[in-house]
Amino acid sequence: MPLAEAPHERSRVYLYRGVAEAALCRSSRLREDQNLYNKRSIESFQKSYSLDPNCSQTWYHLALRLASVGEIKKAFRFAHKVEASPGVVNMVDVSHLLALVLSAQNKLEEALNMVTLTLLNYPDNLNLLITKVMLERQVHGGHSALVTCKEVRSNFSIVDMSLYLKT
């Protein structure tokens, strides 16, 4: 069997295609193009999943894309698969993914708690810190978010966190 014919290798092709289409979606300015690339990326990730249902990278990207289009139950199912996977090395990304899915479900306090707990182990993760600021603004208001923003700014003096607080 040629290498390109192996299901695992074909799965990887669809995984990378989905990642590329997701990147195109994020860089597109027109809603029409974003919808098209979102649809294509989800289809690619689903094809990758059908060829290799045990790939945690596929689960991760599929959860992220499904959450971005509002298919929260499906996204949460894949996010939990990633979380339960023994081969996952980067748990900070998994925790961040789960927090984003929770926030998409409008479970903002749970998402904030997850981010706060994850930050205990990864205090310098800028993505988590920015997510925490955004969630605090929604849950506790601007003052709480501003306090966190000032803490982050003192740790990352090159980043102007006030840009993320615009309403």
Coordinates of all heavy atoms in Angstrom, one line a residue, residues 91-167:
M91 N -1.4 20.7 27.7 CA -2.7 20.8 28.4 C -3.2 22.3 28.5 O -4.3 22.5 28.7 CB -2.6 20.2 29.8 CG -2.6 18.7 29.8 SD -4.0 17.9 28.9 CE -5.4 18.4 29.9
V92 N -2.3 23.2 28.4 CA -2.7 24.6 28.4 C -3.6 24.9 27.3 O -4.6 25.6 27.4 CB -1.5 25.6 28.5 CG1 -0.7 25.6 27.2 CG2 -1.9 27.0 28.9
D93 N -3.3 24.4 26.1 CA -4.2 24.6 24.9 C -5.5 24.0 25.1 O -6.6 24.5 24.7 CB -3.5 24.1 23.7 CG -2.4 25.0 23.2 OD1 -2.3 26.2 23.6 OD2 -1.5 24.6 22.4
V94 N -5.5 22.8 25.7 CA -6.8 22.1 25.9 C -7.6 22.8 26.9 O -8.8 23.0 26.7 CB -6.5 20.6 26.4 CG1 -7.8 19.9 26.8 CG2 -5.8 19.8 25.4
S95 N -7.0 23.3 28.0 CA -7.8 24.1 29.0 C -8.3 25.4 28.4 O -9.4 25.8 28.7 CB -6.9 24.4 30.2 OG -6.5 23.3 30.9
H96 N -7.5 26.0 27.5 CA -8.0 27.2 26.9 C -9.1 26.9 25.9 O -10.1 27.6 25.9 CB -6.8 27.8 26.1 CG -7.1 29.2 25.6 ND1 -6.7 29.6 24.4 CD2 -7.7 30.3 26.2 CE1 -7.1 30.9 24.2 NE2 -7.6 31.3 25.3
L97 N -9.0 25.8 25.2 CA -10.1 25.4 24.3 C -11.4 25.1 25.1 O -12.5 25.6 24.7 CB -9.7 24.1 23.6 CG -10.8 23.4 22.8 CD1 -11.3 24.3 21.6 CD2 -10.3 22.1 22.2
L98 N -11.3 24.4 26.2 CA -12.5 24.2 27.0 C -13.1 25.5 27.6 O -14.3 25.6 27.6 CB -12.2 23.2 28.2 CG -11.9 21.7 27.8 CD1 -11.4 20.9 28.9 CD2 -13.2 21.1 27.2
A99 N -12.2 26.4 28.0 CA -12.7 27.7 28.5 C -13.4 28.4 27.4 O -14.5 29.0 27.6 CB -11.6 28.5 29.0
L100 N -12.9 28.4 26.1 CA -13.6 29.1 25.0 C -14.9 28.4 24.7 O -15.9 29.1 24.4 CB -12.6 29.1 23.8 CG -11.4 29.9 23.9 CD1 -10.5 29.7 22.7 CD2 -11.7 31.4 24.1
V101 N -15.0 27.1 24.8 CA -16.2 26.4 24.5 C -17.2 26.7 25.6 O -18.4 27.0 25.3 CB -16.0 24.9 24.4 CG1 -17.3 24.1 24.3 CG2 -15.2 24.6 23.1
L102 N -16.8 26.7 26.9 CA -17.7 27.1 28.0 C -18.2 28.5 27.8 O -19.4 28.8 28.0 CB -17.0 27.0 29.3 CG -16.8 25.6 29.8 CD1 -15.8 25.6 31.0 CD2 -18.1 24.9 30.2
S103 N -17.3 29.4 27.4 CA -17.8 30.8 27.2 C -18.8 30.9 26.0 O -19.7 31.7 26.0 CB -16.6 31.8 27.0 OG -16.0 31.6 25.8
A104 N -18.6 30.1 25.0 CA -19.5 30.1 23.9 C -20.9 29.5 24.3 O -21.9 29.9 23.7 CB -19.0 29.2 22.7
Q105 N -20.9 28.7 25.3 CA -22.1 28.2 25.9 C -22.7 29.2 26.9 O -23.7 28.9 27.5 CB -21.9 26.9 26.6 CG -21.6 25.7 25.8 CD -21.4 24.4 26.6 OE1 -20.7 24.4 27.6 NE2 -22.1 23.4 26.2
N106 N -22.1 30.3 27.0 CA -22.5 31.3 28.0 C -22.3 30.9 29.4 O -23.0 31.4 30.3 CB -23.9 31.8 27.7 CG -24.1 33.3 28.0 OD1 -23.1 34.0 28.1 ND2 -25.3 33.7 28.2
K107 N -21.4 30.0 29.7 CA -21.0 29.6 31.0 C -19.8 30.3 31.4 O -18.7 29.7 31.6 CB -20.9 28.1 31.1 CG -22.1 27.3 30.8 CD -21.9 25.8 30.8 CE -23.2 25.1 30.5 NZ -23.0 23.6 30.5
L108 N -19.9 31.6 31.6 CA -18.8 32.5 31.7 C -18.0 32.3 33.0 O -16.8 32.4 33.0 CB -19.2 34.0 31.6 CG -19.9 34.3 30.2 CD1 -20.4 35.8 30.2 CD2 -19.0 34.1 29.1
E109 N -18.8 32.1 34.1 CA -18.1 31.9 35.4 C -17.3 30.6 35.4 O -16.1 30.6 35.9 CB -19.1 31.9 36.5 CG -19.6 33.3 36.8 CD -20.0 33.5 38.2 OE1 -19.4 33.0 39.1 OE2 -21.0 34.3 38.4
E110 N -17.8 29.5 34.8 CA -17.1 28.3 34.7 C -15.8 28.5 33.8 O -14.8 27.9 34.1 CB -18.0 27.2 34.1 CG -19.1 26.7 35.0 CD -19.9 25.7 34.3 OE1 -19.4 24.7 33.8 OE2 -21.2 25.8 34.3
A111 N -16.0 29.2 32.7 CA -14.8 29.5 31.8 C -13.8 30.3 32.6 O -12.6 29.9 32.5 CB -15.3 30.2 30.6
L112 N -14.2 31.3 33.3 CA -13.3 32.1 34.1 C -12.6 31.2 35.1 O -11.3 31.4 35.3 CB -14.0 33.3 34.7 CG -13.1 34.2 35.6 CD1 -12.0 34.8 34.7 CD2 -14.0 35.3 36.2
N113 N -13.3 30.4 35.8 CA -12.7 29.5 36.8 C -11.6 28.6 36.2 O -10.6 28.3 36.7 CB -13.7 28.6 37.5 CG -14.6 29.5 38.5 OD1 -14.2 30.5 38.9 ND2 -15.8 29.0 38.8
M114 N -12.0 28.0 35.0 CA -11.0 27.1 34.3 C -9.7 27.9 33.9 O -8.6 27.4 34.1 CB -11.6 26.5 33.0 CG -10.6 25.7 32.2 SD -11.4 24.5 31.2 CE -12.1 23.4 32.3
V115 N -9.9 29.1 33.4 CA -8.7 29.9 33.0 C -7.9 30.3 34.3 O -6.7 30.1 34.2 CB -9.2 31.2 32.3 CG1 -8.0 32.2 32.1 CG2 -9.7 30.8 30.9
T116 N -8.6 30.6 35.3 CA -7.9 31.0 36.6 C -7.1 29.8 37.1 O -5.9 30.0 37.5 CB -8.9 31.5 37.6 OG1 -9.6 32.6 37.1 CG2 -8.2 32.0 38.9
L117 N -7.7 28.6 37.1 CA -7.0 27.4 37.6 C -5.8 27.1 36.7 O -4.7 26.7 37.2 CB -8.0 26.3 37.7 CG -9.0 26.3 38.8 CD1 -10.0 25.2 38.7 CD2 -8.3 26.3 40.2
T118 N -6.0 27.2 35.4 CA -4.9 26.9 34.5 C -3.8 27.9 34.6 O -2.6 27.5 34.5 CB -5.4 26.9 33.0 OG1 -6.6 26.0 32.9 CG2 -4.4 26.4 32.1
L119 N -4.1 29.1 34.9 CA -3.0 30.1 35.1 C -2.2 29.8 36.3 O -1.1 30.3 36.4 CB -3.6 31.5 35.2 CG -4.0 32.1 33.9 CD1 -4.9 33.4 34.1 CD2 -2.7 32.5 33.1
L120 N -2.7 29.1 37.3 CA -1.9 28.7 38.4 C -0.6 27.9 38.0 O 0.5 28.0 38.5 CB -2.7 27.9 39.4 CG -3.8 28.6 40.2 CD1 -4.6 27.6 41.0 CD2 -3.3 29.7 41.0
N121 N -0.8 27.1 36.9 CA 0.3 26.3 36.4 C 1.0 27.0 35.3 O 2.2 26.6 35.0 CB -0.2 24.9 35.9 CG -0.7 24.1 37.1 OD1 -0.1 24.1 38.1 ND2 -1.8 23.4 36.8
Y122 N 0.4 27.9 34.6 CA 1.0 28.6 33.4 C 0.8 30.1 33.6 O 0.0 30.7 32.8 CB 0.3 28.1 32.1 CG 0.4 26.6 31.9 CD1 -0.7 25.8 32.3 CD2 1.5 26.0 31.4 CE1 -0.6 24.4 32.1 CE2 1.6 24.6 31.2 CZ 0.5 23.9 31.6 OH 0.6 22.5 31.4
P123 N 1.4 30.7 34.6 CA 1.1 32.1 34.9 C 1.6 33.1 33.8 O 1.1 34.2 33.8 CB 1.9 32.4 36.2 CG 3.0 31.3 36.2 CD 2.4 30.1 35.5
D124 N 2.4 32.7 32.9 CA 2.9 33.6 31.9 C 2.3 33.4 30.5 O 2.8 33.9 29.5 CB 4.5 33.4 31.7 CG 5.2 33.9 33.0 OD1 4.6 34.7 33.7 OD2 6.3 33.4 33.3
N125 N 1.2 32.6 30.4 CA 0.6 32.3 29.2 C -0.3 33.5 28.8 O -1.3 33.8 29.3 CB -0.2 31.0 29.2 CG -0.7 30.6 27.9 OD1 -1.6 31.3 27.3 ND2 -0.2 29.6 27.3
L126 N 0.2 34.2 27.8 CA -0.5 35.5 27.4 C -1.9 35.2 26.8 O -2.8 36.0 27.1 CB 0.4 36.2 26.3 CG -0.1 37.7 26.0 CD1 -0.1 38.5 27.3 CD2 0.9 38.3 25.0
N127 N -2.1 34.1 26.1 CA -3.4 33.8 25.6 C -4.4 33.6 26.7 O -5.5 34.1 26.7 CB -3.4 32.6 24.7 CG -2.8 32.8 23.4 OD1 -2.8 33.9 22.9 ND2 -2.2 31.8 22.8
L128 N -4.0 32.9 27.8 CA -4.9 32.7 28.9 C -5.1 34.0 29.7 O -6.2 34.3 30.1 CB -4.3 31.7 29.9 CG -4.3 30.2 29.5 CD1 -3.6 29.4 30.5 CD2 -5.8 29.8 29.4
L129 N -4.1 34.8 29.8 CA -4.2 36.1 30.5 C -5.2 37.0 29.8 O -6.1 37.7 30.4 CB -2.9 36.7 30.7 CG -1.9 36.0 31.7 CD1 -0.5 36.5 31.5 CD2 -2.4 36.2 33.1
I130 N -5.1 37.1 28.5 CA -6.0 37.9 27.7 C -7.5 37.4 27.8 O -8.4 38.1 28.0 CB -5.6 38.0 26.2 CG1 -4.3 38.8 26.2 CG2 -6.6 38.7 25.4 CD1 -3.6 38.8 24.8
T131 N -7.6 36.1 27.7 CA -8.9 35.4 27.9 C -9.5 35.7 29.3 O -10.7 36.0 29.4 CB -8.8 33.9 27.7 OG1 -8.3 33.7 26.3 CG2 -10.2 33.3 27.8
K132 N -8.6 35.7 30.3 CA -9.1 36.0 31.7 C -9.6 37.4 31.7 O -10.7 37.7 32.3 CB -8.0 35.8 32.7 CG -8.4 36.1 34.1 CD -7.3 35.8 35.1 CE -7.8 36.1 36.5 NZ -6.8 36.1 37.5
V133 N -8.9 38.4 31.1 CA -9.3 39.8 31.2 C -10.7 39.9 30.5 O -11.6 40.6 31.0 CB -8.3 40.7 30.5 CG1 -8.8 42.1 30.2 CG2 -7.0 40.7 31.3
M134 N -10.8 39.3 29.3 CA -12.1 39.4 28.6 C -13.3 38.8 29.4 O -14.3 39.3 29.5 CB -12.0 38.7 27.3 CG -10.9 39.3 26.4 SD -11.1 41.0 26.0 CE -12.4 41.0 24.9
L135 N -13.0 37.6 30.0 CA -14.0 37.0 30.8 C -14.4 37.7 32.1 O -15.5 37.9 32.5 CB -13.6 35.5 31.2 CG -13.6 34.5 30.0 CD1 -12.9 33.2 30.4 CD2 -15.1 34.2 29.6
E136 N -13.3 38.3 32.7 CA -13.6 39.1 33.9 C -14.4 40.3 33.6 O -15.3 40.7 34.4 CB -12.3 39.5 34.6 CG -11.6 38.5 35.4 CD -10.4 38.9 36.1 OE1 -9.7 39.9 35.6 OE2 -10.0 38.4 37.1
R137 N -14.1 40.9 32.5 CA -14.9 42.1 32.1 C -16.4 41.7 32.0 O -17.3 42.5 32.4 CB -14.4 42.6 30.8 CG -15.1 44.0 30.4 CD -14.7 44.5 29.1 NE -15.5 43.7 28.1 CZ -15.3 43.8 26.8 NH1 -14.3 44.5 26.3 NH2 -16.1 43.1 26.0
Q138 N -16.7 40.5 31.4 CA -18.1 40.1 31.2 C -18.7 39.6 32.5 O -19.9 39.9 32.8 CB -18.2 39.0 30.2 CG -17.9 39.5 28.8 CD -17.9 38.4 27.8 OE1 -17.4 37.3 28.0 NE2 -18.6 38.6 26.7
V139 N -17.9 39.0 33.4 CA -18.5 38.4 34.6 C -18.5 39.4 35.8 O -19.5 39.5 36.4 CB -17.7 37.1 35.0 CG1 -18.1 36.6 36.4 CG2 -17.8 36.0 34.0
H140 N -17.4 40.1 36.0 CA -17.3 41.0 37.1 C -17.3 42.5 36.8 O -17.2 43.3 37.7 CB -16.0 40.6 37.9 CG -16.0 39.2 38.4 ND1 -16.9 38.7 39.3 CD2 -15.1 38.2 38.1 CE1 -16.6 37.4 39.6 NE2 -15.6 37.1 38.8
G141 N -17.2 42.8 35.6 CA -17.2 44.2 35.2 C -15.8 44.7 34.9 O -14.8 44.0 35.1
G142 N -15.7 45.9 34.4 CA -14.5 46.5 33.9 C -13.4 46.7 35.0 O -12.2 46.6 34.7
H143 N -13.8 47.0 36.3 CA -12.8 47.2 37.3 C -12.0 46.0 37.6 O -10.7 46.1 37.6 CB -13.5 47.7 38.6 CG -12.5 48.0 39.7 ND1 -11.7 49.1 39.7 CD2 -12.2 47.2 40.8 CE1 -10.9 49.0 40.8 NE2 -11.2 47.9 41.5
S144 N -12.6 44.9 37.7 CA -11.9 43.6 37.9 C -11.0 43.3 36.8 O -9.8 42.9 37.0 CB -12.9 42.5 38.1 OG -12.2 41.3 38.3
A145 N -11.5 43.5 35.6 CA -10.6 43.2 34.4 C -9.5 44.2 34.3 O -8.4 43.8 33.9 CB -11.5 43.4 33.1
L146 N -9.7 45.4 34.7 CA -8.6 46.4 34.7 C -7.5 46.1 35.7 O -6.3 46.2 35.4 CB -9.2 47.8 35.0 CG -8.2 49.0 34.8 CD1 -7.7 49.0 33.4 CD2 -8.9 50.3 35.1
V147 N -7.9 45.5 36.9 CA -6.9 45.1 37.8 C -6.0 44.0 37.2 O -4.8 44.1 37.3 CB -7.6 44.6 39.2 CG1 -6.6 43.9 40.1 CG2 -8.3 45.8 39.9
T148 N -6.7 43.0 36.6 CA -5.9 41.9 36.0 C -5.0 42.5 34.9 O -3.9 42.1 34.7 CB -6.8 40.9 35.5 OG1 -7.6 40.3 36.5 CG2 -6.1 39.7 34.8
C149 N -5.6 43.4 34.1 CA -4.9 44.1 33.0 C -3.6 44.7 33.5 O -2.6 44.6 32.9 CB -5.8 45.1 32.4 SG -5.7 45.2 30.6
K150 N -3.7 45.4 34.6 CA -2.5 46.1 35.2 C -1.5 45.1 35.6 O -0.3 45.3 35.5 CB -3.0 47.0 36.3 CG -3.7 48.3 35.8 CD -4.1 49.1 37.0 CE -4.9 50.4 36.5 NZ -5.4 51.2 37.6
E151 N -1.9 44.0 36.2 CA -1.0 42.9 36.6 C -0.3 42.3 35.4 O 0.9 42.1 35.4 CB -1.8 41.8 37.4 CG -2.3 42.2 38.7 CD -3.2 41.1 39.3 OE1 -3.2 40.0 38.8 OE2 -3.8 41.4 40.3
V152 N -1.1 42.1 34.4 CA -0.5 41.5 33.1 C 0.5 42.5 32.6 O 1.6 42.2 32.1 CB -1.6 41.2 32.1 CG1 -1.0 40.8 30.8 CG2 -2.4 40.0 32.6
R153 N 0.1 43.8 32.5 CA 1.0 44.8 31.9 C 2.3 44.9 32.7 O 3.4 45.1 32.1 CB 0.3 46.1 31.9 CG 1.1 47.1 31.1 CD 0.2 48.3 30.7 NE 1.0 49.2 29.9 CZ 0.7 50.3 29.5 NH1 -0.5 50.8 29.8 NH2 1.4 51.0 28.7
S154 N 2.2 44.8 34.0 CA 3.5 44.9 34.8 C 4.4 43.7 34.5 O 5.6 43.8 34.5 CB 3.2 44.9 36.3 OG 2.7 43.7 36.8
N155 N 3.8 42.5 34.2 CA 4.6 41.3 33.8 C 5.0 41.4 32.3 O 6.1 40.8 32.0 CB 3.8 40.0 34.0 CG 3.5 39.8 35.5 OD1 4.3 40.3 36.4 ND2 2.5 39.1 35.8
F156 N 4.2 41.9 31.5 CA 4.5 42.0 30.1 C 4.5 43.5 29.7 O 3.6 43.9 29.0 CB 3.5 41.3 29.2 CG 3.4 39.8 29.5 CD1 2.6 39.2 30.4 CD2 4.3 38.9 28.8 CE1 2.6 37.9 30.6 CE2 4.3 37.6 29.0 CZ 3.4 37.0 30.0
S157 N 5.5 44.2 30.0 CA 5.4 45.7 29.8 C 5.4 46.1 28.4 O 5.0 47.2 28.1 CB 6.6 46.3 30.5 OG 7.8 45.8 30.0
I158 N 5.7 45.2 27.5 CA 5.7 45.5 26.0 C 4.3 45.4 25.4 O 4.0 45.9 24.3 CB 6.6 44.7 25.2 CG1 6.3 43.2 25.3 CG2 8.1 44.9 25.6 CD1 7.0 42.3 24.4
V159 N 3.3 44.9 26.2 CA 2.0 44.7 25.6 C 1.0 45.7 26.2 O 1.0 45.8 27.4 CB 1.5 43.2 26.0 CG1 0.1 43.0 25.5 CG2 2.4 42.2 25.3
D160 N 0.3 46.4 25.4 CA -0.7 47.3 25.9 C -2.1 46.6 26.0 O -2.8 46.5 25.0 CB -0.8 48.5 24.9 CG -1.7 49.6 25.4 OD1 -2.3 49.5 26.6 OD2 -1.9 50.6 24.7
M161 N -2.4 46.1 27.1 CA -3.6 45.3 27.3 C -4.9 46.2 27.2 O -5.9 45.6 27.0 CB -3.6 44.6 28.7 CG -2.5 43.6 28.8 SD -2.7 42.2 27.7 CE -4.2 41.5 28.3
S162 N -4.8 47.5 27.3 CA -6.0 48.3 27.2 C -6.6 48.2 25.9 O -7.8 48.5 25.7 CB -5.6 49.8 27.6 OG -4.8 50.3 26.6
L163 N -5.8 47.8 24.9 CA -6.4 47.6 23.5 C -7.5 46.5 23.5 O -8.4 46.5 22.7 CB -5.3 47.2 22.5 CG -4.2 48.2 22.3 CD1 -3.1 47.6 21.4 CD2 -4.8 49.4 21.7
Y164 N -7.4 45.6 24.5 CA -8.3 44.4 24.5 C -9.6 44.8 25.3 O -10.5 44.0 25.3 CB -7.7 43.2 25.1 CG -6.5 42.7 24.2 CD1 -5.2 43.0 24.5 CD2 -6.8 42.0 23.1 CE1 -4.2 42.6 23.7 CE2 -5.8 41.6 22.2 CZ -4.5 41.9 22.6 OH -3.4 41.4 21.8
L165 N -9.6 45.9 25.9 CA -10.8 46.3 26.8 C -11.7 47.2 26.1 O -12.7 47.6 26.7 CB -10.3 46.9 28.1 CG -9.6 46.0 29.0 CD1 -9.1 46.7 30.2 CD2 -10.5 44.8 29.4
K166 N -11.5 47.5 24.8 CA -12.4 48.4 24.1 C -13.8 47.8 24.0 O -13.8 46.6 23.7 CB -11.8 48.8 22.8 CG -10.6 49.7 22.9 CD -10.1 50.1 21.5 CE -8.9 51.0 21.7 NZ -8.4 51.4 20.4
T167 N -14.8 48.5 24.1 CA -16.2 48.0 24.0 C -16.8 48.4 22.7 O -16.4 49.2 21.9 CB -17.1 48.5 25.1 OG1 -17.0 49.9 25.2 CG2 -16.6 47.9 26.4

